[in-house]
Each structure stands twice: as structure tokens, then as C-alpha cells.
Amino acid sequence: MKKLLLGVALSALMCSSAFAAKIGVSMALFDDNFLTVLRNGMIAQAKGMSGVELQVEDAQNDVAKQLDQIKNFAASGVDAIIVNPVDTSATQAMSDAAAAAKIPLVYVNREPVNVDKLPDNQAFVASNEAESGTLETKEACRLFKEAGKKEANVYVIMGELSNQAAVQRTKDIEEVIATPDCSFIKIIDKQTSNWKRDEAQNLMTNWLSSGKAFDGVIANNDESAIGAIQAMKAANIDMKSVVVGGVDATQDALAAMQAGDLDVTVFQDAAGQGAGALDAALKLSKGEKVEHKVYIPFQLVTPANIDKFLKKN
């Protein structure tokens, strides 16, 4: 069951906020640019709603810590729980803990492994990852063609391998490259940077030291793309000679695009996901039905349309 959420989250939230509710929120980690936008957006929405209180905790990328947070929320009697999971393959235990306490649970941004088996009072709010890497790679392919490339060698920087988004985005890249239109692209190596800028910079520095010729970098997220850009600029590579792509359309990424360093990113609506998760949690806490999967669309961002996204994430 899938439902497309198209900018109606705020009005829905206003309708859902006419009663008191305490919501426990466990974020995978606070030290992440995109998740910070999502978290702050959710907090801002709740502050504008009468009677809605959020208790937001940092799981610090620790699965056991996150499960304890969920159990503690349940023990404290919250009306619903929102989880941005540390490890998307470890969510069954989280669902079980919430179900045992009969408390609604909403996963946000990262797809739980048990998404197709969620009970009636649990849901998943995010963007469809089958779109993210696909939009990014199709645009990279178009740019290579525009530059007259008959062959293009690329590096792929993956996110955390335990994360469904990283797995799906990498799969998206590989599937686009497998199509006849983009089969001239070859992946010469792919490694994880765990979503982090500094790890991506170190990874790109190592790749550069190998001396292999390459034409682009396709990253699972903007932070990794920016890290790769920093390494390339430190090595005096002309950024006009390579294609670099990311996902999220963070403010730092948009600045890199305006500087001519980043060629493509994909807008993931952090505020929309946060608002949608809060809306779903409030509805479930009142016993209302919610679709198990609520999708907020991804949107391609290029230098041609960047102005539309400058004030978003």
C-alpha cells in the first residue's frame, strides 16, 4: 500500500493537533546534516501545534541504544514513537517492542526491513529510494553524453552498508548503467564512506593516488560527494573535467553546485518527511488508519533549476 504525500503535510498536521499528545522520537544520530534538517523541521512543526510535545533522543548510531530508547519511551507512556533507524535490518525488534506496549510507531527516512509486515498501528514515511539513485545516475549519463563521452569510468561512493537507502541507491546506479542508453559507463570501484564527508575525502584521496583515469563520481549522498570534491580540488583536478553527483540537496551541496563543483543532486524533502512522520504518529495515536508506506517525491536538482531549492533543505 503506497500513498503519495504532495505538500499537504502541514494542513494535515494542523487538523491532527487538536488534542494533547506526547511523541517519543529516536534519531539515528544528531551529527548528520540531512537528519538535522529533518529533526529540526519536526521540532518546529510540533512547537506550532497546541498540546503536542516531542521528546527527541540521539541514538548515536548505536542499535542497542536505540532499542533501549524505544523501550524507555514505551515505559514512560508516550502516545506514539517516531524512529529514524540506525540499522534498517534491525527494525523487527523495534516493531515488536512497540507492539508489545500497544504504542503506535512510525519509521521515518530509512526503510525498515520489515516494512511489508508492519502491524496496523505502524507506518513508514520517507521518499522512494528507487527514484533517488536513478534520477542522479540518469542525469550523470546525460552529462557524459553531452560532453561527447563514448566511454566513462566512474567511482561510486556508498553510504552505510547496513542502511537500506545506501543499498537501494547503489542498486539504482547499477541498474541505470546496465541500460543500453548508459552502458558506456563503467564502475571502476565502489566503496563506502558511511555517509561521511571526511571518510569520502580520504577514500577519494586513495583513489587518486592509484593514478587511474576516471570521468566522474556518483555518491549515495551529498556529504560523500562534497568529500570527494574536496579531495579532487586538493589534487588540482579541474572540476569541469569530471561529473560529480550526490543525493539530498543540502545547503552545502547547493553551494557546491553554485560554485561549479557539484553537477547533480536529488532533493529529498527533509521537512516533508518530518511533517509526514509527525502527522502519521498523531493519527495513529488517535486510532486513525494510516497507509503503511507514505512517500514524499524526490526531485532532480541541476544548475538549471537550483533556484527552486535554495531555501528548502
Side-chain angles (χ1 to χ4, degrees):
M1 297 173 69
K2 299 179 181 178
K3 179 181 178 182
L4 197 62
L5 193 66
L6 294 171
V8 299
L10 180 58
S11 59
L13 280 170
M14 298 306 292
C15 295
S16 300
S17 61
F19 77 110
K22 184 174 181 180
I23 312 294
V25 181
S26 175
M27 298 296 297
L29 72 165
F30 283 5
D31 188 19
D32 178 278
N33 283 358
F34 178 81
L35 295 182
T36 296
V37 176
L38 191 155
R39 181 180 83 250
N40 289 342
M42 198 183 306
I43 292 170
Q45 291 280 15
K47 284 182 178 178
M49 298 157 60
S50 176
V52 176
E53 178 186 348
L54 295 189
Q55 181 182 342
V56 186
E57 302 286 347
D58 181 2
Q60 298 177 333
N61 239 16
D62 185 322
V63 176
K65 186 181 184 75
Q66 186 162 63
L67 183 57
D68 283 343
Q69 288 173 350
I70 292 167
K71 291 178 178 178
N72 290 338
F73 286 148
S76 69
V78 297
D79 296 291
I81 298 169
I82 296 173
V83 180
N84 168 244
V86 170
D87 184 343
T88 53
S89 66
T91 51
Q92 186 62 58
M94 300 176 195
S95 285
D96 291 345
K102 298 182 180 179
I103 294 176
L105 183 147
V106 177
Y107 293 102
V108 63
N109 181 251
R110 298 177 175 180
E111 183 175 309
V113 68
N114 56 320
V115 68
D116 293 320
K117 298 179 181 179
L118 294 177
D120 290 341
N121 68 341
Q122 296 187 16
F124 166 58
V125 178
S127 298
N128 188 350
E129 293 296 350
E131 299 174 359
S132 55
T134 300
L135 289 170
E136 173 192 19
T137 311
K138 282 184 175 180
E139 177 62 9
C141 176
R142 188 191 70 78
L143 290 171
F144 285 136
K145 286 182 175 180
E146 189 177 77
K149 297 282 186 182
K150 301 299 182 181
E151 294 182 359
N153 293 323
V154 299
Y155 287 114
V156 172
I157 304 180
M158 300 180 289
E160 291 177 351
L161 301 183
S162 63
N163 192 293
Q164 181 273 342
V167 174
Q168 183 61 54
R169 290 176 190 180
T170 303
K171 182 182 178 184
D172 296 342
I173 295 168
E174 293 169 341
E175 288 182 347
V176 171
I177 290 174
T179 63
D181 280 350
C182 303
S183 60
F184 65 94
I185 302 172
K186 178 184 178 183
I187 297 173
I188 48 179
D189 197 7
K190 59 180 181 180
Q191 293 188 40
T192 181
S193 68
N194 295 306
W195 303 121
K196 296 180 180 178
R197 186 183 301 194
D198 58 345
E199 291 190 28
Q201 184 173 2
N202 291 336
L203 176 59
M204 192 72 225
T205 299
N206 290 336
W207 278 334
L208 290 171
S209 68
S210 73
K212 289 183 180 178
F214 70 99
D215 302 284
V217 177
I218 304 177
N220 281 175
N221 70 325
D222 287 338
E223 283 295 286
S224 297
I226 291 169
I229 288 168
Q230 290 174 333
M232 286 186 277
K233 293 181 80 170
N236 295 317
I237 290 176
D238 181 0
M239 297 307 301
K240 293 180 180 179
S241 69
V242 293
V243 171
V244 183
V247 175
D248 287 336
T250 63
Q251 287 300 307
D252 285 354
L254 297 179
M257 183 172 285
Q258 288 180 308
D261 299 330
L262 183 70
D263 299 284
V264 55
T265 185
V266 182
F267 175 65
Q268 183 175 195
D269 191 346
Q273 289 184 13
L278 192 51
D279 177 44
L282 290 169
K283 285 181 177 178
L284 289 172
S285 71
K286 293 191 295 182
E288 298 178 12
K289 289 187 177 181
V290 172
E291 298 285 350
H292 280 314
K293 295 180 183 178
V294 180
Y295 285 144
I296 290 84
F298 278 108
Q299 298 177 63
L300 182 68
V301 184
T302 69
N305 69 353
I306 189 174
D307 290 348
K308 292 171 52 181
F309 301 94
L310 291 175
K311 295 183 179 179
K312 292 193 175 181
N313 279 350

